[in-house]
PDB file of all heavy atoms in Angstrom:
ATOM      1  N   SER A 161       8.186  11.853   1.821  1.00  0.00           N
ATOM      2  CA  SER A 161       6.768  11.647   2.067  1.00  0.00           C
ATOM      3  C   SER A 161       6.492  11.566   3.572  1.00  0.00           C
ATOM      4  O   SER A 161       5.514  12.126   4.077  1.00  0.00           O
ATOM      5  CB  SER A 161       6.389  10.332   1.370  1.00  0.00           C
ATOM      6  OG  SER A 161       5.030  10.163   1.323  1.00  0.00           O
ATOM      7  N   TRP A 162       7.378  10.884   4.262  1.00  0.00           N
ATOM      8  CA  TRP A 162       7.235  10.728   5.722  1.00  0.00           C
ATOM      9  C   TRP A 162       7.286  12.097   6.407  1.00  0.00           C
ATOM     10  O   TRP A 162       6.476  12.406   7.285  1.00  0.00           O
ATOM     11  CB  TRP A 162       8.346   9.811   6.227  1.00  0.00           C
ATOM     12  CG  TRP A 162       8.281   9.495   7.686  1.00  0.00           C
ATOM     13  CD1 TRP A 162       7.517   8.542   8.280  1.00  0.00           C
ATOM     14  CD2 TRP A 162       9.013  10.135   8.734  1.00  0.00           C
ATOM     15  NE1 TRP A 162       7.725   8.538   9.637  1.00  0.00           N
ATOM     16  CE2 TRP A 162       8.640   9.512   9.950  1.00  0.00           C
ATOM     17  CE3 TRP A 162       9.943  11.177   8.775  1.00  0.00           C
ATOM     18  CZ2 TRP A 162       9.164   9.888  11.175  1.00  0.00           C
ATOM     19  CZ3 TRP A 162      10.471  11.554  10.001  1.00  0.00           C
ATOM     20  CH2 TRP A 162      10.082  10.921  11.182  1.00  0.00           C
ATOM     21  N   LYS A 163       8.244  12.934   5.966  1.00  0.00           N
ATOM     22  CA  LYS A 163       8.388  14.271   6.589  1.00  0.00           C
ATOM     23  C   LYS A 163       7.129  15.103   6.358  1.00  0.00           C
ATOM     24  O   LYS A 163       6.715  15.879   7.217  1.00  0.00           O
ATOM     25  CB  LYS A 163       9.607  14.989   6.019  1.00  0.00           C
ATOM     26  CG  LYS A 163      10.905  14.480   6.628  1.00  0.00           C
ATOM     27  CD  LYS A 163      12.109  15.177   6.050  1.00  0.00           C
ATOM     28  CE  LYS A 163      13.390  14.512   6.554  1.00  0.00           C
ATOM     29  NZ  LYS A 163      14.529  14.731   5.684  1.00  0.00           N
ATOM     30  N   GLU A 164       6.534  14.943   5.194  1.00  0.00           N
ATOM     31  CA  GLU A 164       5.313  15.690   4.883  1.00  0.00           C
ATOM     32  C   GLU A 164       4.179  15.253   5.822  1.00  0.00           C
ATOM     33  O   GLU A 164       3.417  16.081   6.316  1.00  0.00           O
ATOM     34  CB  GLU A 164       4.931  15.387   3.429  1.00  0.00           C
ATOM     35  CG  GLU A 164       4.354  16.574   2.719  1.00  0.00           C
ATOM     36  CD  GLU A 164       3.902  16.204   1.325  1.00  0.00           C
ATOM     37  OE1 GLU A 164       4.335  15.154   0.806  1.00  0.00           O
ATOM     38  OE2 GLU A 164       3.097  16.970   0.783  1.00  0.00           O
ATOM     39  N   VAL A 165       4.079  13.939   6.049  1.00  0.00           N
ATOM     40  CA  VAL A 165       3.041  13.435   6.953  1.00  0.00           C
ATOM     41  C   VAL A 165       3.283  13.944   8.373  1.00  0.00           C
ATOM     42  O   VAL A 165       2.353  14.365   9.065  1.00  0.00           O
ATOM     43  CB  VAL A 165       2.982  11.886   6.931  1.00  0.00           C
ATOM     44  CG1 VAL A 165       2.046  11.360   8.005  1.00  0.00           C
ATOM     45  CG2 VAL A 165       2.529  11.386   5.568  1.00  0.00           C
ATOM     46  N   VAL A 166       4.544  13.932   8.792  1.00  0.00           N
ATOM     47  CA  VAL A 166       4.873  14.418  10.140  1.00  0.00           C
ATOM     48  C   VAL A 166       4.443  15.893  10.266  1.00  0.00           C
ATOM     49  O   VAL A 166       3.882  16.308  11.280  1.00  0.00           O
ATOM     50  CB  VAL A 166       6.387  14.280  10.421  1.00  0.00           C
ATOM     51  CG1 VAL A 166       6.769  14.964  11.731  1.00  0.00           C
ATOM     52  CG2 VAL A 166       6.779  12.805  10.457  1.00  0.00           C
ATOM     53  N   LYS A 167       4.681  16.649   9.205  1.00  0.00           N
ATOM     54  CA  LYS A 167       4.422  18.095   9.256  1.00  0.00           C
ATOM     55  C   LYS A 167       2.920  18.416   9.200  1.00  0.00           C
ATOM     56  O   LYS A 167       2.429  19.231   9.977  1.00  0.00           O
ATOM     57  CB  LYS A 167       5.120  18.747   8.052  1.00  0.00           C
ATOM     58  CG  LYS A 167       5.296  20.223   8.146  1.00  0.00           C
ATOM     59  CD  LYS A 167       6.236  20.683   7.043  1.00  0.00           C
ATOM     60  CE  LYS A 167       6.062  22.167   6.795  1.00  0.00           C
ATOM     61  NZ  LYS A 167       6.670  22.574   5.537  1.00  0.00           N
ATOM     62  N   LYS A 168       2.207  17.753   8.293  1.00  0.00           N
ATOM     63  CA  LYS A 168       0.814  18.165   8.056  1.00  0.00           C
ATOM     64  C   LYS A 168      -0.229  17.137   8.466  1.00  0.00           C
ATOM     65  O   LYS A 168      -1.426  17.421   8.438  1.00  0.00           O
ATOM     66  CB  LYS A 168       0.628  18.469   6.566  1.00  0.00           C
ATOM     67  CG  LYS A 168       1.513  19.581   6.048  1.00  0.00           C
ATOM     68  CD  LYS A 168       1.207  19.826   4.578  1.00  0.00           C
ATOM     69  CE  LYS A 168       2.239  20.699   3.922  1.00  0.00           C
ATOM     70  NZ  LYS A 168       2.247  20.546   2.468  1.00  0.00           N
ATOM     71  N   GLY A 169       0.200  15.929   8.800  1.00  0.00           N
ATOM     72  CA  GLY A 169      -0.770  14.907   9.208  1.00  0.00           C
ATOM     73  C   GLY A 169      -1.241  14.061   8.039  1.00  0.00           C
ATOM     74  O   GLY A 169      -1.187  14.483   6.879  1.00  0.00           O
ATOM     75  N   VAL A 170      -1.713  12.867   8.378  1.00  0.00           N
ATOM     76  CA  VAL A 170      -2.076  11.901   7.337  1.00  0.00           C
ATOM     77  C   VAL A 170      -3.321  12.329   6.564  1.00  0.00           C
ATOM     78  O   VAL A 170      -3.421  12.090   5.351  1.00  0.00           O
ATOM     79  CB  VAL A 170      -2.249  10.488   7.950  1.00  0.00           C
ATOM     80  CG1 VAL A 170      -3.403  10.425   8.924  1.00  0.00           C
ATOM     81  CG2 VAL A 170      -2.429   9.440   6.867  1.00  0.00           C
ATOM     82  N   VAL A 171      -4.266  12.968   7.234  1.00  0.00           N
ATOM     83  CA  VAL A 171      -5.526  13.310   6.559  1.00  0.00           C
ATOM     84  C   VAL A 171      -5.275  14.288   5.410  1.00  0.00           C
ATOM     85  O   VAL A 171      -5.811  14.131   4.315  1.00  0.00           O
ATOM     86  CB  VAL A 171      -6.534  13.895   7.582  1.00  0.00           C
ATOM     87  CG1 VAL A 171      -7.782  14.415   6.881  1.00  0.00           C
ATOM     88  CG2 VAL A 171      -6.910  12.819   8.603  1.00  0.00           C
ATOM     89  N   LEU A 172      -4.424  15.282   5.654  1.00  0.00           N
ATOM     90  CA  LEU A 172      -4.158  16.290   4.617  1.00  0.00           C
ATOM     91  C   LEU A 172      -3.232  15.767   3.538  1.00  0.00           C
ATOM     92  O   LEU A 172      -3.416  16.048   2.361  1.00  0.00           O
ATOM     93  CB  LEU A 172      -3.515  17.531   5.250  1.00  0.00           C
ATOM     94  CG  LEU A 172      -4.457  18.565   5.840  1.00  0.00           C
ATOM     95  CD1 LEU A 172      -3.651  19.759   6.344  1.00  0.00           C
ATOM     96  CD2 LEU A 172      -5.468  19.033   4.799  1.00  0.00           C
ATOM     97  N   THR A 173      -2.232  14.999   3.929  1.00  0.00           N
ATOM     98  CA  THR A 173      -1.199  14.625   2.952  1.00  0.00           C
ATOM     99  C   THR A 173      -1.488  13.311   2.236  1.00  0.00           C
ATOM    100  O   THR A 173      -0.993  13.087   1.136  1.00  0.00           O
ATOM    101  CB  THR A 173       0.177  14.501   3.637  1.00  0.00           C
ATOM    102  OG1 THR A 173       0.063  13.561   4.707  1.00  0.00           O
ATOM    103  CG2 THR A 173       0.650  15.828   4.174  1.00  0.00           C
ATOM    104  N   LYS A 174      -2.260  12.436   2.851  1.00  0.00           N
ATOM    105  CA  LYS A 174      -2.498  11.111   2.257  1.00  0.00           C
ATOM    106  C   LYS A 174      -3.989  10.771   2.311  1.00  0.00           C
ATOM    107  O   LYS A 174      -4.423   9.908   3.088  1.00  0.00           O
ATOM    108  CB  LYS A 174      -1.712  10.030   3.037  1.00  0.00           C
ATOM    109  CG  LYS A 174      -0.223  10.265   3.122  1.00  0.00           C
ATOM    110  CD  LYS A 174       0.453   9.928   1.810  1.00  0.00           C
ATOM    111  CE  LYS A 174       1.927  10.237   1.853  1.00  0.00           C
ATOM    112  NZ  LYS A 174       2.555  10.280   0.543  1.00  0.00           N
ATOM    113  N   PRO A 175      -4.779  11.449   1.490  1.00  0.00           N
ATOM    114  CA  PRO A 175      -6.228  11.203   1.548  1.00  0.00           C
ATOM    115  C   PRO A 175      -6.612   9.752   1.257  1.00  0.00           C
ATOM    116  O   PRO A 175      -7.627   9.267   1.762  1.00  0.00           O
ATOM    117  CB  PRO A 175      -6.800  12.155   0.480  1.00  0.00           C
ATOM    118  CG  PRO A 175      -5.643  12.679  -0.282  1.00  0.00           C
ATOM    119  CD  PRO A 175      -4.417  12.517   0.548  1.00  0.00           C
ATOM    120  N   VAL A 176      -5.794   9.052   0.480  1.00  0.00           N
ATOM    121  CA  VAL A 176      -6.113   7.642   0.184  1.00  0.00           C
ATOM    122  C   VAL A 176      -5.991   6.802   1.463  1.00  0.00           C
ATOM    123  O   VAL A 176      -6.824   5.927   1.730  1.00  0.00           O
ATOM    124  CB  VAL A 176      -5.191   7.095  -0.933  1.00  0.00           C
ATOM    125  CG1 VAL A 176      -5.401   5.606  -1.141  1.00  0.00           C
ATOM    126  CG2 VAL A 176      -5.457   7.848  -2.240  1.00  0.00           C
ATOM    127  N   TYR A 177      -4.992   7.085   2.265  1.00  0.00           N
ATOM    128  CA  TYR A 177      -4.833   6.370   3.542  1.00  0.00           C
ATOM    129  C   TYR A 177      -5.953   6.775   4.516  1.00  0.00           C
ATOM    130  O   TYR A 177      -6.480   5.939   5.257  1.00  0.00           O
ATOM    131  CB  TYR A 177      -3.490   6.684   4.203  1.00  0.00           C
ATOM    132  CG  TYR A 177      -2.264   6.270   3.443  1.00  0.00           C
ATOM    133  CD1 TYR A 177      -1.010   6.782   3.768  1.00  0.00           C
ATOM    134  CD2 TYR A 177      -2.336   5.361   2.393  1.00  0.00           C
ATOM    135  CE1 TYR A 177       0.139   6.404   3.077  1.00  0.00           C
ATOM    136  CE2 TYR A 177      -1.195   4.986   1.688  1.00  0.00           C
ATOM    137  CZ  TYR A 177       0.038   5.514   2.036  1.00  0.00           C
ATOM    138  OH  TYR A 177       1.162   5.152   1.355  1.00  0.00           O
ATOM    139  N   ALA A 178      -6.289   8.068   4.514  1.00  0.00           N
ATOM    140  CA  ALA A 178      -7.335   8.545   5.435  1.00  0.00           C
ATOM    141  C   ALA A 178      -8.665   7.869   5.111  1.00  0.00           C
ATOM    142  O   ALA A 178      -9.421   7.498   6.022  1.00  0.00           O
ATOM    143  CB  ALA A 178      -7.468  10.062   5.332  1.00  0.00           C
ATOM    144  N   ALA A 179      -8.939   7.680   3.821  1.00  0.00           N
ATOM    145  CA  ALA A 179     -10.176   7.007   3.408  1.00  0.00           C
ATOM    146  C   ALA A 179     -10.184   5.565   3.915  1.00  0.00           C
ATOM    147  O   ALA A 179     -11.197   5.064   4.415  1.00  0.00           O
ATOM    148  CB  ALA A 179     -10.291   7.030   1.885  1.00  0.00           C
ATOM    149  N   GLN A 180      -9.051   4.923   3.791  1.00  0.00           N
ATOM    150  CA  GLN A 180      -8.912   3.533   4.234  1.00  0.00           C
ATOM    151  C   GLN A 180      -9.173   3.441   5.755  1.00  0.00           C
ATOM    152  O   GLN A 180      -9.931   2.580   6.215  1.00  0.00           O
ATOM    153  CB  GLN A 180      -7.487   3.087   3.913  1.00  0.00           C
ATOM    154  CG  GLN A 180      -7.272   1.607   3.849  1.00  0.00           C
ATOM    155  CD  GLN A 180      -5.829   1.261   3.480  1.00  0.00           C
ATOM    156  OE1 GLN A 180      -4.977   2.128   3.294  1.00  0.00           O
ATOM    157  NE2 GLN A 180      -5.561  -0.011   3.383  1.00  0.00           N
ATOM    158  N   VAL A 181      -8.557   4.335   6.499  1.00  0.00           N
ATOM    159  CA  VAL A 181      -8.715   4.329   7.960  1.00  0.00           C
ATOM    160  C   VAL A 181     -10.187   4.542   8.343  1.00  0.00           C
ATOM    161  O   VAL A 181     -10.739   3.813   9.178  1.00  0.00           O
ATOM    162  CB  VAL A 181      -7.811   5.417   8.606  1.00  0.00           C
ATOM    163  CG1 VAL A 181      -8.179   5.645  10.069  1.00  0.00           C
ATOM    164  CG2 VAL A 181      -6.342   5.019   8.489  1.00  0.00           C
ATOM    165  N   ALA A 182     -10.827   5.521   7.710  1.00  0.00           N
ATOM    166  CA  ALA A 182     -12.232   5.824   8.038  1.00  0.00           C
ATOM    167  C   ALA A 182     -13.127   4.618   7.750  1.00  0.00           C
ATOM    168  O   ALA A 182     -14.010   4.280   8.551  1.00  0.00           O
ATOM    169  CB  ALA A 182     -12.703   7.038   7.236  1.00  0.00           C
ATOM    170  N   LEU A 183     -12.883   3.953   6.631  1.00  0.00           N
ATOM    171  CA  LEU A 183     -13.690   2.773   6.288  1.00  0.00           C
ATOM    172  C   LEU A 183     -13.501   1.653   7.305  1.00  0.00           C
ATOM    173  O   LEU A 183     -14.467   1.020   7.733  1.00  0.00           O
ATOM    174  CB  LEU A 183     -13.302   2.263   4.890  1.00  0.00           C
ATOM    175  CG  LEU A 183     -13.927   3.022   3.723  1.00  0.00           C
ATOM    176  CD1 LEU A 183     -13.245   2.636   2.419  1.00  0.00           C
ATOM    177  CD2 LEU A 183     -15.433   2.756   3.641  1.00  0.00           C
ATOM    178  N   TYR A 184     -12.271   1.410   7.693  1.00  0.00           N
ATOM    179  CA  TYR A 184     -12.018   0.350   8.670  1.00  0.00           C
ATOM    180  C   TYR A 184     -12.692   0.673  10.009  1.00  0.00           C
ATOM    181  O   TYR A 184     -13.287  -0.197  10.638  1.00  0.00           O
ATOM    182  CB  TYR A 184     -10.515   0.180   8.910  1.00  0.00           C
ATOM    183  CG  TYR A 184      -9.757  -0.435   7.759  1.00  0.00           C
ATOM    184  CD1 TYR A 184      -8.434  -0.097   7.529  1.00  0.00           C
ATOM    185  CD2 TYR A 184     -10.350  -1.361   6.922  1.00  0.00           C
ATOM    186  CE1 TYR A 184      -7.714  -0.650   6.483  1.00  0.00           C
ATOM    187  CE2 TYR A 184      -9.643  -1.923   5.873  1.00  0.00           C
ATOM    188  CZ  TYR A 184      -8.330  -1.567   5.663  1.00  0.00           C
ATOM    189  OH  TYR A 184      -7.633  -2.114   4.637  1.00  0.00           O
ATOM    190  N   GLN A 185     -12.566   1.932  10.428  1.00  0.00           N
ATOM    191  CA  GLN A 185     -13.190   2.301  11.707  1.00  0.00           C
ATOM    192  C   GLN A 185     -14.698   2.057  11.651  1.00  0.00           C
ATOM    193  O   GLN A 185     -15.290   1.549  12.594  1.00  0.00           O
ATOM    194  CB  GLN A 185     -12.912   3.773  12.035  1.00  0.00           C
ATOM    195  CG  GLN A 185     -11.477   4.037  12.463  1.00  0.00           C
ATOM    196  CD  GLN A 185     -11.194   5.526  12.539  1.00  0.00           C
ATOM    197  OE1 GLN A 185     -11.255   6.229  11.529  1.00  0.00           O
ATOM    198  NE2 GLN A 185     -10.888   6.011  13.721  1.00  0.00           N
ATOM    199  N   ALA A 186     -15.298   2.425  10.511  1.00  0.00           N
ATOM    200  CA  ALA A 186     -16.749   2.287  10.388  1.00  0.00           C
ATOM    201  C   ALA A 186     -17.158   0.822  10.259  1.00  0.00           C
ATOM    202  O   ALA A 186     -18.022   0.347  10.997  1.00  0.00           O
ATOM    203  CB  ALA A 186     -17.230   3.090   9.174  1.00  0.00           C
ATOM    204  N   TYR A 187     -16.538   0.104   9.345  1.00  0.00           N
ATOM    205  CA  TYR A 187     -16.966  -1.283   9.086  1.00  0.00           C
ATOM    206  C   TYR A 187     -16.550  -2.257  10.189  1.00  0.00           C
ATOM    207  O   TYR A 187     -17.199  -3.275  10.383  1.00  0.00           O
ATOM    208  CB  TYR A 187     -16.428  -1.765   7.740  1.00  0.00           C
ATOM    209  CG  TYR A 187     -17.302  -1.356   6.567  1.00  0.00           C
ATOM    210  CD1 TYR A 187     -17.082  -0.172   5.897  1.00  0.00           C
ATOM    211  CD2 TYR A 187     -18.358  -2.164   6.139  1.00  0.00           C
ATOM    212  CE1 TYR A 187     -17.877   0.216   4.825  1.00  0.00           C
ATOM    213  CE2 TYR A 187     -19.166  -1.795   5.076  1.00  0.00           C
ATOM    214  CZ  TYR A 187     -18.918  -0.601   4.424  1.00  0.00           C
ATOM    215  OH  TYR A 187     -19.725  -0.229   3.375  1.00  0.00           O
ATOM    216  N   MET A 188     -15.448  -1.965  10.873  1.00  0.00           N
ATOM    217  CA  MET A 188     -14.993  -2.876  11.937  1.00  0.00           C
ATOM    218  C   MET A 188     -15.530  -2.456  13.301  1.00  0.00           C
ATOM    219  O   MET A 188     -15.158  -3.038  14.315  1.00  0.00           O
ATOM    220  CB  MET A 188     -13.458  -2.917  11.979  1.00  0.00           C
ATOM    221  CG  MET A 188     -12.789  -3.385  10.705  1.00  0.00           C
ATOM    222  SD  MET A 188     -13.204  -5.066  10.236  1.00  0.00           S
ATOM    223  CE  MET A 188     -12.405  -6.011  11.527  1.00  0.00           C
ATOM    224  N   ASP A 189     -16.367  -1.412  13.297  1.00  0.00           N
ATOM    225  CA  ASP A 189     -16.970  -0.933  14.531  1.00  0.00           C
ATOM    226  C   ASP A 189     -15.898  -0.570  15.565  1.00  0.00           C
ATOM    227  O   ASP A 189     -15.919  -1.039  16.699  1.00  0.00           O
ATOM    228  CB  ASP A 189     -17.939  -1.990  15.084  1.00  0.00           C
ATOM    229  CG  ASP A 189     -18.921  -1.384  16.078  1.00  0.00           C
ATOM    230  OD1 ASP A 189     -19.042  -0.143  16.088  1.00  0.00           O
ATOM    231  OD2 ASP A 189     -19.537  -2.143  16.858  1.00  0.00           O
ATOM    232  N   LEU A 190     -14.953   0.243  15.119  1.00  0.00           N
ATOM    233  CA  LEU A 190     -13.880   0.725  15.997  1.00  0.00           C
ATOM    234  C   LEU A 190     -13.901   2.260  15.962  1.00  0.00           C
ATOM    235  O   LEU A 190     -13.080   2.893  15.292  1.00  0.00           O
ATOM    236  CB  LEU A 190     -12.523   0.201  15.507  1.00  0.00           C
ATOM    237  CG  LEU A 190     -12.287  -1.305  15.648  1.00  0.00           C
ATOM    238  CD1 LEU A 190     -11.051  -1.748  14.880  1.00  0.00           C
ATOM    239  CD2 LEU A 190     -12.162  -1.681  17.124  1.00  0.00           C
ATOM    240  N   PRO A 191     -14.883   2.862  16.656  1.00  0.00           N
ATOM    241  CA  PRO A 191     -15.081   4.303  16.527  1.00  0.00           C
ATOM    242  C   PRO A 191     -14.039   5.174  17.242  1.00  0.00           C
ATOM    243  O   PRO A 191     -13.972   6.379  17.009  1.00  0.00           O
ATOM    244  CB  PRO A 191     -16.469   4.526  17.137  1.00  0.00           C
ATOM    245  CG  PRO A 191     -16.658   3.375  18.079  1.00  0.00           C
ATOM    246  CD  PRO A 191     -15.896   2.218  17.512  1.00  0.00           C
ATOM    247  N   ALA A 192     -13.226   4.579  18.115  1.00  0.00           N
ATOM    248  CA  ALA A 192     -12.215   5.389  18.819  1.00  0.00           C
ATOM    249  C   ALA A 192     -11.185   5.890  17.807  1.00  0.00           C
ATOM    250  O   ALA A 192     -11.017   5.288  16.733  1.00  0.00           O
ATOM    251  CB  ALA A 192     -11.532   4.532  19.882  1.00  0.00           C
ATOM    252  N   PRO A 193     -10.495   6.984  18.125  1.00  0.00           N
ATOM    253  CA  PRO A 193      -9.452   7.448  17.209  1.00  0.00           C
ATOM    254  C   PRO A 193      -8.463   6.326  16.889  1.00  0.00           C
ATOM    255  O   PRO A 193      -8.011   5.592  17.780  1.00  0.00           O
ATOM    256  CB  PRO A 193      -8.781   8.586  17.988  1.00  0.00           C
ATOM    257  CG  PRO A 193      -9.867   9.109  18.874  1.00  0.00           C
ATOM    258  CD  PRO A 193     -10.663   7.889  19.279  1.00  0.00           C
ATOM    259  N   ALA A 194      -8.151   6.166  15.607  1.00  0.00           N
ATOM    260  CA  ALA A 194      -7.232   5.100  15.174  1.00  0.00           C
ATOM    261  C   ALA A 194      -5.795   5.540  15.405  1.00  0.00           C
ATOM    262  O   ALA A 194      -5.476   6.727  15.287  1.00  0.00           O
ATOM    263  CB  ALA A 194      -7.451   4.828  13.690  1.00  0.00           C
ATOM    264  N   LEU A 195      -4.935   4.566  15.716  1.00  0.00           N
ATOM    265  CA  LEU A 195      -3.506   4.884  15.803  1.00  0.00           C
ATOM    266  C   LEU A 195      -2.897   4.638  14.428  1.00  0.00           C
ATOM    267  O   LEU A 195      -2.833   3.491  13.962  1.00  0.00           O
ATOM    268  CB  LEU A 195      -2.804   4.018  16.845  1.00  0.00           C
ATOM    269  CG  LEU A 195      -1.301   4.323  16.975  1.00  0.00           C
ATOM    270  CD1 LEU A 195      -1.059   5.709  17.572  1.00  0.00           C
ATOM    271  CD2 LEU A 195      -0.580   3.264  17.816  1.00  0.00           C
ATOM    272  N   PHE A 196      -2.477   5.735  13.784  1.00  0.00           N
ATOM    273  CA  PHE A 196      -1.799   5.629  12.491  1.00  0.00           C
ATOM    274  C   PHE A 196      -0.304   5.742  12.741  1.00  0.00           C
ATOM    275  O   PHE A 196       0.148   6.693  13.382  1.00  0.00           O
ATOM    276  CB  PHE A 196      -2.264   6.753  11.553  1.00  0.00           C
ATOM    277  CG  PHE A 196      -1.520   6.788  10.246  1.00  0.00           C
ATOM    278  CD1 PHE A 196      -1.837   5.904   9.219  1.00  0.00           C
ATOM    279  CD2 PHE A 196      -0.485   7.693  10.048  1.00  0.00           C
ATOM    280  CE1 PHE A 196      -1.139   5.919   8.019  1.00  0.00           C
ATOM    281  CE2 PHE A 196       0.219   7.712   8.852  1.00  0.00           C
ATOM    282  CZ  PHE A 196      -0.106   6.825   7.843  1.00  0.00           C
ATOM    283  N   THR A 197       0.454   4.740  12.280  1.00  0.00           N
ATOM    284  CA  THR A 197       1.909   4.806  12.413  1.00  0.00           C
ATOM    285  C   THR A 197       2.522   4.835  11.020  1.00  0.00           C
ATOM    286  O   THR A 197       2.085   4.100  10.130  1.00  0.00           O
ATOM    287  CB  THR A 197       2.470   3.603  13.197  1.00  0.00           C
ATOM    288  OG1 THR A 197       2.001   2.386  12.607  1.00  0.00           O
ATOM    289  CG2 THR A 197       2.074   3.632  14.652  1.00  0.00           C
ATOM    290  N   ALA A 198       3.515   5.694  10.852  1.00  0.00           N
ATOM    291  CA  ALA A 198       4.224   5.771   9.577  1.00  0.00           C
ATOM    292  C   ALA A 198       5.705   5.565   9.849  1.00  0.00           C
ATOM    293  O   ALA A 198       6.309   6.291  10.643  1.00  0.00           O
ATOM    294  CB  ALA A 198       3.993   7.137   8.926  1.00  0.00           C
ATOM    295  N   MET A 199       6.259   4.535   9.198  1.00  0.00           N
ATOM    296  CA  MET A 199       7.691   4.274   9.382  1.00  0.00           C
ATOM    297  C   MET A 199       8.485   4.965   8.272  1.00  0.00           C
ATOM    298  O   MET A 199       8.133   4.844   7.093  1.00  0.00           O
ATOM    299  CB  MET A 199       7.989   2.773   9.354  1.00  0.00           C
ATOM    300  CG  MET A 199       9.476   2.479   9.422  1.00  0.00           C
ATOM    301  SD  MET A 199       9.857   0.765   9.082  1.00  0.00           S
ATOM    302  CE  MET A 199      10.013   0.154  10.736  1.00  0.00           C
ATOM    303  N   ASN A 200       9.526   5.668   8.666  1.00  0.00           N
ATOM    304  CA  ASN A 200      10.447   6.274   7.700  1.00  0.00           C
ATOM    305  C   ASN A 200      11.364   5.157   7.178  1.00  0.00           C
ATOM    306  O   ASN A 200      12.116   4.568   7.958  1.00  0.00           O
ATOM    307  CB  ASN A 200      11.249   7.373   8.417  1.00  0.00           C
ATOM    308  CG  ASN A 200      12.238   8.067   7.494  1.00  0.00           C
ATOM    309  OD1 ASN A 200      12.792   7.462   6.575  1.00  0.00           O
ATOM    310  ND2 ASN A 200      12.468   9.347   7.749  1.00  0.00           N
TER     311      ASN A 200
END
Side-chain angles (χ1 to χ4, degrees):
S161 191
W162 183 83
K163 282 179 187 157
E164 216 184 342
V165 172
V166 172
K167 197 169 160 195
K168 300 182 192 159
V170 65
V171 173
L172 275 183
T173 56
K174 303 284 177 196
V176 174
Y177 297 164
Q180 200 178 1
V181 167
L183 280 168
Y184 289 149
Q185 287 170 297
Y187 276 91
M188 300 298 292
D189 199 16
L190 291 168
L195 180 68
F196 175 79
T197 53
M199 175 191 262
N200 180 327

